[in-house]
Structures are given as structure tokens and as C-alpha cells.
Amino acid sequence: MPADWQAGGFGLYIHWPFCAAKCPYCDFNSHVTARIDQSAWREAYLREIGRVGAETEGRVLQSVYFGGGTPSLMEPETVDAILREIGRFWPRANDIEITLEANPSSVEARRFAGYAEAGVNRVSLGVQSLRDTDLRALGRLHDVAQAKAAVEVAKAHFERMSFDLIYARQNQTLEDWRDELSEALEMTGDHLSLYQLTIEPGTAFGDRYAIGKLRGLPDDDLGADMFELTQEMTSAAGFEAYEVSNHAQRGSESRHNLVYWRYGDYIGIGPGAHGRVTFEGERMATVCKSMPAAWLEGVKAGNAETRERLSGIDQASEYLMMGLRVGEGISLSRFSALSGEALPAEKLGELVGSGLVAQDGDRLRATLRGRMVLNAVIRELMV
């Protein structure tokens, strides 16, 4: 029987922590700086790949994901060096997916050509809105014209392309979102990520919201209507909602994100990057130092990352939280093998009866209604 992590695959995440500006809604580990020493960062990534590669050498790599921050601020030579170093340790799956996130304001045809030549075969664009007024409110540095141009550049250079949109924005009506989503479905490649705006503590939006100065946000009913409309329109256009916020044509799902949601093994490299990696039969949670300077110094000292062993209950809980986000759901027998006990039958029966989850043999999945209140469903099922 294969090791548990093999059920979900094996991926590598590279975190680039720098942005040209900090968006007011963003709670990711991103930083604005006037100067980036690309050679120092390149060497640090190569050193970390070598360190963890020596411990996991020979595993078949399904995906590499350059996230951030704004990875399209990386020099193509840096991406090329990283991908070459990766090849020293892990054989690639025949259909390996290598994704790079990009902001439309930093898209250059020359740079994209360099990424493609290095081996990147998928790009994810942070478009976020197709309305100039809302782009300004979201703190984005690009306008709609730049976003549309970036989409065309991406289509010209990469096999696959996705972009993100945020909805349930300030003063947005249901009809506004219908028109914008219709436009997005005509523009995109084979994948769309569609997120409801969430107000996170510690962000500029969070601070404004706390003092009552972030007005025009939709109420819960309008937010639910927007979610349902999103499902209807994407489904009608042939974009399956394979995860709560992600929609793809059949076969074009994000393989890297599926590693997360299927609870596979993934290595995280870069400031603040998290991982879940099996070393000698023990599944470990890894986390890197979050501040860029501290991480760079940690790489030199050999202590950029900390590890913590995950118990069976920890693993089962994470598998439940991640797996119910995807349309395929979870394997009940895999959950039981991880936790040592089955999901509570009474709670499961109540949730099935209320139409929030559906069970088909060994598979348990959240229904559309269940996805709308997924956190509550997960809380009910937690062992």
C-alpha cells in the first residue's frame, strides 16, 4: 500500500515575498522594498532546495508553484536556476505543472518569454476586477486595459492561464457581478479563481472596517446570491466548481492546489512558507521564518525552517478541512486510518439529512448548500 502522502501527490511551493505595493485587503506575507538583490535570493533558494532535496530525493514531483508576493518581479534567470536545481533532486511527472503568479502591472512580454523558456507552463494573473474604479479601491497598480493586455500576453506564452477576481466588493450589485463575470468567462483561458472579498484583521481594510469606515459591503443575503450566481454561470460555461472558489474546464484543475486539498506532501521554501512533508515515515508541519531578512540569514545559518510532528488526529483534522473544499470530497476510510476513529455517525447523519453533505460509499463531499457554510460543517464533524 502506498504511503498516505502519495494519495495526494507531491509538490513544491516557492514563496517570493516582494510586491510593488501592499494591497489593502491582503494578509499574505508580502513586503514592499526599494531594492531586491536578485543574486542573493537566487542563491538562498538554491541552497534550501539542496537541503530539503537531499532528504526527499527521488520522489516524483507533480507541481511547482511560484507564489507571493509578486513572483513576476523575479528575474527569469532566477526562475531558470531554481527549476534547474529542482531537476537535480526530483524526477518530474510527465504532466508536471509549473505555475507562476503575476500581476498585470508587472507583465512584460520579454519577461514572460523568459519564464516560458525556463519551463513555466502555467501563469495565474491577479486581475481582481474588470472595473477601473474598483481596481483603484482595491489598491491595484494596473487598470482594466493592462489586465486585458496581460491576459493576451499570457495566452501567447503559456500552455495554460488562469486569473483571479474578487467579488462582493463595496457597492457591487448582483447585476454588476453578472456582467463582470460574463466578461471574465469570455476572456479567460481554462481556469478562473473567484473569491468573495473577506475582511482580514491586520490589513488596511480590516482597520477601516473596525472603525466603521469601510462602507458598502454586501450583506449576507447578497453575498450568498453572488455565490450562487457564480456557480450557475461558471457551470453553464463549462467551468466546473472543483473547489469552493476555483473553477476549471475538465482536466484543467490546478494540480498544485489539488496536492494541498488532497492532503499530499508539499515542500514550502521562502519567507513564511508552510509545508507538509513526510520524512522517514513521520509527517511534519514545516514553517519558514516570515521576515525576508530573517529568512535569508536563517538559510545561511541552516535554521530558516522549523518542524513539528503531526499526530494522527492533527492529520485527520487537516485532511477534513482541506478535502471538503473540493468537489470530490474525502475518503472516509482514509480519515479513519489517520485519526484512529471514524467520523461521528450521529453528526454525519444529521448533516446528510439537512442536505449539507452527501455520502456515496466511501466518499463524503459537501453539497452546494454545505459549501456556503463550510466552516460550520467542518466544526460539526471535528473529532
Side-chain angles (χ1 to χ4, degrees):
M1 183 176 177
D4 183 72
W5 65 266
Q6 291 176 303
F10 179 54
L12 172 64
Y13 175 78
I14 303 288
H15 188 78
W16 178 260
F18 302 113
C19 282
K22 184 76 172 179
C23 296
Y25 56 85
C26 177
D27 68 341
F28 294 164
N29 185 33
S30 59
H31 305 265
V32 178
T33 186
R35 181 180 175 275
I36 302 168
D37 185 343
Q38 294 266 348
S39 63
W41 281 88
R42 181 163 55 245
E43 290 307 310
Y45 287 127
L46 298 184
R47 183 179 293 192
E48 283 296 277
I49 289 168
R51 178 186 61 80
V52 74
E55 297 181 275
T56 56
E57 192 168 4
R59 298 189 191 182
V60 177
L61 192 63
Q62 273 93 32
S63 68
V64 180
Y65 195 99
F66 292 89
T70 306
S72 49
L73 296 175
M74 299 175 79
E75 291 178 348
E77 293 78 9
T78 299
V79 174
D80 181 67
I82 288 170
L83 292 176
R84 287 179 185 275
E85 186 71 0
I86 286 168
R88 292 182 55 222
F89 297 98
W90 302 293
R92 299 181 179 193
N94 291 333
D95 61 348
I96 189 170
E97 174 189 273
I98 302 175
T99 302
L100 184 136
E101 291 182 346
N103 279 342
S105 57
S106 62
V107 167
E108 300 174 13
R110 176 196 63 79
R111 194 178 289 258
F112 267 30
Y115 296 145
E117 188 175 343
V120 174
N121 56 20
R122 181 177 182 271
V123 71
S124 178
L125 290 170
V127 171
Q128 312 308 6
S129 173
L130 294 175
R131 301 293 179 263
D132 281 329
T133 301
D134 287 2
L135 285 172
R136 289 191 292 272
L138 291 170
R140 306 299 288 170
L141 298 180
H142 63 275
D143 59 22
V144 173
Q146 285 176 303
K148 291 181 176 180
V151 166
E152 294 308 310
V153 171
K155 286 179 178 178
H157 286 91
F158 301 100
E159 298 171 23
R160 298 169 59 205
M161 188 273 297
S162 176
F163 66 79
D164 299 355
L165 287 180
I166 295 172
Y167 65 97
R169 305 188 302 260
Q170 291 172 273
N171 304 308
Q172 187 180 37
T173 68
L174 190 63
E175 286 308 308
D176 289 339
W177 176 231
R178 185 190 304 276
D179 293 343
E180 189 172 351
L181 181 53
S182 178
E183 194 174 339
L185 287 164
E186 293 179 3
M187 284 173 53
T188 194
D190 54 18
H191 189 285
L192 273 175
S193 296
L194 305 168
Y195 303 102
Q196 287 202 44
L197 177 64
T198 55
I199 308 304
E200 302 290 352
T203 64
F205 272 5
D207 293 343
R208 287 182 219 167
Y209 183 77
I211 60 174
K213 291 193 174 181
L214 193 67
R215 299 185 176 90
L217 294 173
D219 59 23
D220 290 345
D221 288 342
L222 179 54
D225 289 344
M226 287 181 166
F227 178 82
E228 291 181 341
L229 178 64
T230 300
Q231 313 316 306
E232 293 168 7
M233 291 182 64
T234 53
S235 177
F239 284 74
E240 180 184 352
Y242 72 98
E243 191 268 344
V244 172
S245 301
N246 285 274
H247 308 257
Q249 294 173 357
R250 186 65 59 86
S252 295
E253 300 84 358
S254 168
R255 291 168 202 156
H256 185 81
N257 285 337
L258 283 173
V259 171
Y260 297 158
W261 296 321
R262 289 171 173 166
Y263 206 52
D265 261 25
Y266 55 95
I267 293 166
I269 291 177
H274 289 246
R276 293 292 183 273
V277 192
T278 305
F279 299 104
E280 298 180 349
E282 294 280 4
R283 190 167 174 90
M284 309 293 287
T286 69
V287 60
C288 296
K289 293 182 176 180
S290 61
M291 295 303 293
W295 182 77
L296 276 181
E297 289 302 312
V299 171
K300 293 176 185 176
N303 61 4
E305 173 198 88
T306 59
R307 296 177 180 177
E308 180 182 353
R309 180 185 173 276
L310 291 167
S311 69
I313 291 292
D314 291 335
Q315 294 179 56
S317 297
E318 290 186 342
Y319 176 51
L320 180 71
M321 287 188 290
M322 300 299 283
L324 285 184
R325 295 187 62 85
V326 285
E328 65 191 31
I330 65 167
S331 160
L332 293 171
S333 58
R334 185 181 177 197
F335 177 91
S336 298
L338 289 170
S339 69
E341 56 184 300
L343 284 169
E346 184 177 349
K347 287 289 185 185
L348 191 55
E350 290 174 2
L351 291 169
V352 169
S354 61
L356 297 176
V357 299
Q359 184 178 348
D360 182 12
D362 187 51
R363 304 300 300 185
L364 179 73
R365 62 178 180 81
T367 63
L368 178 60
R369 283 186 60 213
R371 286 185 177 196
M372 295 174 71
V373 290
L374 188 58
N375 289 340
V377 170
I378 291 168
R379 281 196 300 272
E380 289 293 305
L381 289 172
M382 280 293 191
V383 175

